[in-house]
Amino acid sequence: MKARFSAVIQMHFLFRIPGYFPLAFDFPTQKAPILKVCQHWITTTPVLPLDEKVTVEVVGDCPKDSADVLRKWGCSDSDISKIFLRQPSLRNVYLAKLQSKLNLLRGLGLSSSDLVQIINCRPRFFSNRISRGFDERVEYLQALFGSKEVLLKAIVRNPSLLTYDLHDKIKPVIATYDEMGVSRKDLITMLLARPTVISRTSLNSEKLDYISKTGVSKDSKMYKYVVTLIAISRIETIHEKLANLEKFGFTEDEVWGLFGRSPLILTLSIDKIQRNMTFILGTMKLPAHVVLGRPFLLFSNLEAVIKPRVLLAGKIQEMGLVEQITGPIMFTALRMKEKRFVKAFVRCHPNDVADELMEFYSNAKGVKRLAESSKTTLHKGYPF
């Protein structure tokens, strides 16, 4: 009898769906406490007579499977199919644990669409023990982000915020950025933009030296980007990207200065920089140092922007048209939005000429990179 009562008590702590799962003992008055047990547990595991001071009240039936649990939580059939497609093992998850974690998420104010994004981002999210230190972690994060709305946005962007250890992971990283002089407002911006800041941050004397070499002051708008991107990057990756630019004739100081003016270059792959620089030097016949003042040349898409527009400029020159794309105008043309570029350099001509130029331009954009379909992507973990 004692063992059976203990099992029922355990069920009380695991299940918390009003009207479906065992609820808490109710002590409204000095009357006998009421233990509410769902019909499912009465039919599958009969409850033996308990102490006469405890009254057992049978309520509605329980969800039959995880899909039923998600549906009762508020997910549509479309949401459920997306969740199961991303993480099929949730079909066989222990219902009590699933419901317990869903209740925690509901308490935060997360919706079913938020849940779909969370599972899409972190398929094994429900495999973590998010209930451990949950309230303390949420209280600290809400104080950090300043409002519940911003916190929910951050959680959807990085669900692991609910799984990180508060004292061993979150607080030490926040303290590190405080010591570096990154304001809380800037840090929140970076946490939203770079969800892995907390998990990847690592600063040592070598990285601190790199930050100082960029020459960016703490008052600069670029400072938060420089600090966070170097902090989450591997030392080996930084060395590789530095050496990659030095191959084109830049000095180490010039490269660090470039990183300081445009920190997001650290997020570009070595292959992309090599291909853009090769085209700038080989086809456009420009000196390498032109990118020091125009970093956008490294960010622009070679196949969709740079190459087609440069080829179109050659076509316009070959046809002897008035609107030439030469000199400084070339850099302006490369920075334009597509619609504005077409209007300024294609549709400005008579219809027959404009149609010919547009056809040429479209064909140039349709040329794919050689052997792109057979390219094998080498994954080296986190890209930085």
Side-chain angles (χ1 to χ4, degrees):
M1 181 183 301
K2 291 182 178 181
R4 180 65 63 183
F5 179 70
S6 175
V8 175
I9 296 300
Q10 291 179 5
M11 289 189 290
H12 148 65
F13 287 108
L14 290 175
F15 298 97
R16 289 181 178 275
I17 300 182
Y20 294 98
F21 289 97
L23 305 178
F25 283 105
D26 191 5
F27 295 92
T29 63
Q30 296 298 324
K31 296 180 181 180
I34 302 174
L35 177 63
K36 296 181 180 181
V37 184
C38 67
Q39 181 67 34
H40 172 79
W41 295 105
I42 294 297
T43 56
T44 59
T45 309
V47 179
L48 298 178
L50 303 175
D51 192 299
E52 60 181 4
K53 296 181 181 181
V54 178
T55 302
V56 177
E57 180 179 335
V58 179
V59 295
D61 200 3
C62 298
K64 301 176 182 179
D65 50 31
S66 56
D68 203 12
V69 171
L70 291 168
R71 191 174 294 108
K72 291 179 184 296
W73 189 78
C75 294
S76 64
D77 290 340
S78 176
D79 294 334
I80 295 172
S81 63
K82 292 176 183 177
I83 290 173
F84 286 161
L85 180 64
R86 187 70 175 116
Q87 183 62 2
S89 64
L90 283 176
R91 296 177 181 274
N92 304 316
V93 73
Y94 187 42
L95 301 186
K97 292 183 178 179
L98 175 61
Q99 182 60 58
S100 176
K101 293 173 182 178
L102 285 172
N103 286 338
L104 292 176
L105 299 182
R106 175 65 74 191
L108 285 176
L110 292 169
S111 64
S112 59
S113 60
D114 294 333
L115 181 62
V116 173
Q117 293 184 59
I118 287 174
I119 299 302
N120 186 63
C121 180
R122 297 287 187 276
R124 295 180 59 81
F125 176 76
F126 283 119
S127 299
N128 298 286
R129 298 180 179 181
I130 61 175
S131 59
R132 182 174 296 177
F134 182 83
D135 292 336
E136 183 184 10
R137 188 184 303 111
V138 169
E139 182 180 358
Y140 177 83
L141 290 174
Q142 185 164 331
L144 173 65
F145 286 99
S147 68
K148 191 172 184 180
E149 291 72 20
V150 179
L151 172 59
L152 294 181
K153 182 179 179 181
I155 290 173
V156 173
R157 287 275 293 157
N158 180 21
S160 295
L161 285 172
L162 295 177
T163 65
Y164 294 144
D165 187 277
L166 177 61
H167 300 286
D168 293 338
K169 195 67 178 177
I170 299 178
K171 286 186 175 181
V173 170
I174 302 302
T176 296
Y177 286 106
D178 286 341
E179 293 174 3
M180 291 298 299
V182 179
S183 67
R184 285 297 176 90
K185 180 181 178 180
D186 289 341
L187 180 57
I188 290 172
T189 300
M190 297 312 300
L191 287 173
L192 293 173
R194 304 285 171 186
T196 54
V197 164
I198 291 181
S199 62
R200 299 286 181 174
T201 291
S202 173
L203 282 173
N204 53 29
S205 58
E206 188 174 0
K207 286 188 175 183
L208 292 176
D209 184 46
Y210 292 159
I211 293 173
S212 65
K213 285 183 177 181
T214 62
V216 179
S217 66
K218 293 183 179 181
D219 298 329
S220 172
K221 294 182 178 180
M222 295 292 103
Y223 184 72
K224 60 179 177 288
Y225 297 100
V226 170
V227 173
T228 53
L229 289 175
I230 290 179
I232 64 178
S233 300
R234 298 187 181 97
I235 293 291
E236 298 79 5
T237 304
I238 296 176
H239 289 169
E240 290 174 359
K241 294 187 176 182
L242 181 66
N244 184 46
L245 284 168
E246 287 178 340
K247 288 190 301 184
F248 294 99
F250 301 109
T251 65
E252 183 178 345
D253 291 339
E254 287 175 333
V255 175
W256 284 118
L258 180 60
F259 288 162
R261 293 189 298 276
S262 185
L264 293 180
I265 289 178
L266 283 168
T267 67
L268 301 179
S269 68
I270 291 176
D271 178 65
K272 177 175 177 59
I273 290 179
Q274 286 180 343
R275 292 170 52 243
N276 281 31
M277 286 298 299
T278 301
F279 188 84
I280 292 170
L281 298 176
T283 303
M284 298 179 70
K285 306 299 181 182
L286 296 174
H289 286 74
V290 72
V291 303
L292 295 180
R294 300 174 178 84
F296 73 89
L297 291 171
L298 297 178
F299 290 95
S300 297
N301 189 293
L302 180 60
E303 282 76 23
V305 178
I306 299 179
K307 188 175 180 179
R309 295 185 183 184
V310 170
L311 294 178
L312 181 65
K315 180 67 173 179
I316 292 175
Q317 186 174 10
E318 179 186 321
M319 295 174 67
L321 301 177
V322 177
E323 291 296 334
Q324 299 283 323
I325 308 176
T326 58
I329 298 178
M330 174 64 75
F331 300 121
T332 302
L334 292 177
R335 299 194 68 172
M336 285 181 175
K337 296 292 185 181
E338 182 72 7
K339 185 176 181 180
R340 183 185 173 193
F341 173 80
V342 171
K343 181 179 179 181
F345 297 106
V346 177
R347 294 304 176 188
C348 61
H349 299 287
N351 290 337
D352 56 340
V353 177
D355 291 341
E356 182 181 352
L357 290 176
M358 196 64 204
E359 182 181 1
F360 177 86
Y361 182 59
S362 299
N363 292 335
K365 291 182 66 175
V367 177
K368 295 183 178 180
R369 181 182 173 187
L370 184 63
E372 183 179 9
S373 60
S374 60
K375 178 183 176 182
T376 301
T377 303
L378 178 62
H379 293 284
K380 299 175 65 176
Y382 196 63
F384 311 137

